[in-house]
């Protein structure tokens, strides 16, 4: 049973550039959530996708956007990168209708903005 | 908005001993879920234990157990017979039981770094 996978593992970008991160959910899951984890902090919710639509959004600017594909995989796009966007980006998947909606996390993508 | 507070940035424990990590939360909701996640240096967040707010019985998973005090909004994690592999960051997380066409977001605390000494 494949777990949540993310690509790439590491990424280095220059300020002002754009980046796309990818996530494949755990087999059987239909919902993908994205989190940003700054160094030494807990993860912060960015947004969640279900049925190919953004269902919830955290307190992040419009530079952060996403997409969910028919196979439930998802992308996170960040435009006009700032130094402060350097963080670990975590993807989590879950299944609608399960009691606790437990979220299973991928290994993350470490983004460094220089 | 819900908040989660972990007041212990770092904790240490001797191998085979017991340690308790603290977590408090703030919410006006009556139905929710609480979680403890473990994040080792490999970065992957692993679910350790889950508690439903409507259940009075504290959850237990092998060496891991919680002390859930709903009125006090407290949710501590006890690790018994600590092992070297337990060393990691531990995050407490809250999730509303409401659904909006998808699973509700997780709200995390800042984490507690647990060191296990041999």
């Amino acid at each position: 049973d494949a777990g949540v996978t993310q690509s790439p593992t590491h990424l280095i970008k220059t300020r002002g550039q754009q980046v796309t991160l990818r996530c494949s959910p755990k087999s059987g899951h239909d919902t993908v959530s994205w989190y940003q984890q700054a160094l030494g902090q807990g993860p912060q919710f960015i947004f969640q996708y279900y049925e190919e639509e953004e269902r919830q959004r955290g307190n992040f600017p419009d530079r952060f956007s996403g997409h969910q594909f028919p196979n439930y995989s998802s992308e996170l796009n960040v435009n006009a990168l700032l130094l402060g966007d350097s963080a670990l980006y975590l993807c989590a998947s879950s299944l609608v209708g399960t009691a606790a909606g437990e979220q299973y996390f991928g290994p993350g993508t470490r983004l460094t903005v220089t | 908005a819900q908040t989660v507070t972990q007041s212990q940035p770092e904790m240490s424990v001797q191998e085979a001993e017991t340690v308790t990590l603290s977590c408090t939360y703030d919410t006006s909701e009556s139905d929710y879920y609480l979680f403890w996640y473990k994040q080792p240096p490999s970065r992957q967040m692993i679910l350790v234990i889950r508690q439903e707010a409507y259940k009075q019985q504290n959850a237990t998973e092998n060496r891991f157990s919680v002390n859930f005090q709903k009125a006090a909004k407290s949710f501590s994690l006890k690790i018994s017979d600590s092992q070297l592999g337990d060393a990691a960051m531990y995050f407490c997380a809250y999730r509303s039981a409401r659904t909006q066409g998808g699973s509700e977001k997780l709200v995390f605390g800042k984490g507690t770094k647990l060191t296990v000494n041999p």
Side-chain angles (χ1 to χ4, degrees):
Chain A
D1 182 16
V4 180
T5 60
Q6 292 186 243
S7 62
T9 304
H10 296 90
L11 204 52
I12 300 175
K13 289 288 188 178
T14 303
R15 192 170 44 185
Q17 286 187 318
Q18 179 265 343
V19 68
T20 297
L21 310 181
R22 295 176 175 82
C23 171
S24 291
K26 179 180 169 64
S27 178
H29 284 184
D30 56 9
T31 301
V32 173
S33 302
W34 287 91
Y35 294 83
Q36 181 195 66
Q37 186 178 17
L39 196 62
Q41 301 294 316
Q44 297 289 317
F45 176 75
I46 302 175
F47 45 52
Q48 182 182 85
Y49 278 84
Y50 171 66
E51 293 186 331
E52 302 181 47
E53 290 187 12
E54 183 182 293
R55 297 290 177 162
Q56 282 189 281
R57 188 178 184 91
N59 189 25
F60 280 80
D62 292 344
R63 298 187 298 109
F64 289 77
S65 64
H67 188 77
Q68 186 179 34
F69 299 93
N71 67 353
Y72 307 116
S73 66
S74 176
E75 288 182 348
L76 164 65
N77 300 293
V78 187
N79 295 322
L81 284 167
L82 303 174
L83 295 179
D85 294 332
S86 295
L88 179 67
Y89 288 84
L90 296 168
C91 166
S93 73
S94 54
L95 178 63
V96 167
T98 51
E102 290 175 8
Q103 296 188 16
Y104 292 81
F105 284 81
T109 294
R110 172 73 66 188
L111 172 64
T112 302
V113 182
T114 62
Chain B
Q2 296 85 15
T3 59
V4 176
T5 301
Q6 293 180 248
S7 59
Q8 306 155 316
E10 295 188 27
M11 292 282 285
S12 63
V13 63
Q14 291 297 125
E15 198 174 1
E17 297 293 306
T18 296
V19 64
T20 299
L21 308 184
S22 301
C23 172
T24 59
Y25 58 94
D26 187 29
T27 183
S28 59
E29 298 177 329
S30 59
D31 199 11
Y32 49 86
Y33 302 94
L34 295 166
F35 305 87
W36 279 98
Y37 279 89
K38 169 185 177 182
Q39 188 178 40
S42 66
R43 308 181 324 200
Q44 185 135 15
M45 199 78 76
I46 302 165
L47 178 64
V48 174
I49 199 165
R50 175 191 87 200
Q51 176 77 43
E52 292 88 343
Y54 64 84
K55 289 186 177 179
Q56 291 187 336
Q57 186 173 8
N58 290 322
T60 299
E61 289 286 344
N62 301 312
R63 298 182 294 107
F64 299 87
S65 61
V66 299
N67 183 5
F68 174 49
Q69 301 289 328
K70 191 172 184 179
K73 295 180 182 175
S74 171
F75 182 60
S76 61
L77 174 70
K78 185 172 81 171
I79 306 174
S80 304
D81 185 25
S82 296
Q83 300 176 359
L84 294 177
D86 295 333
M89 284 292 292
Y90 284 82
F91 292 95
C92 179
Y94 171 101
R95 176 188 170 270
S96 170
R98 293 180 294 110
T99 58
Q100 298 177 357
S103 301
E104 287 285 329
K105 66 180 181 182
L106 290 170
V107 178
F108 286 88
K110 290 188 175 182
T112 296
K113 181 180 180 181
L114 178 66
T115 300
V116 181
N117 301 308

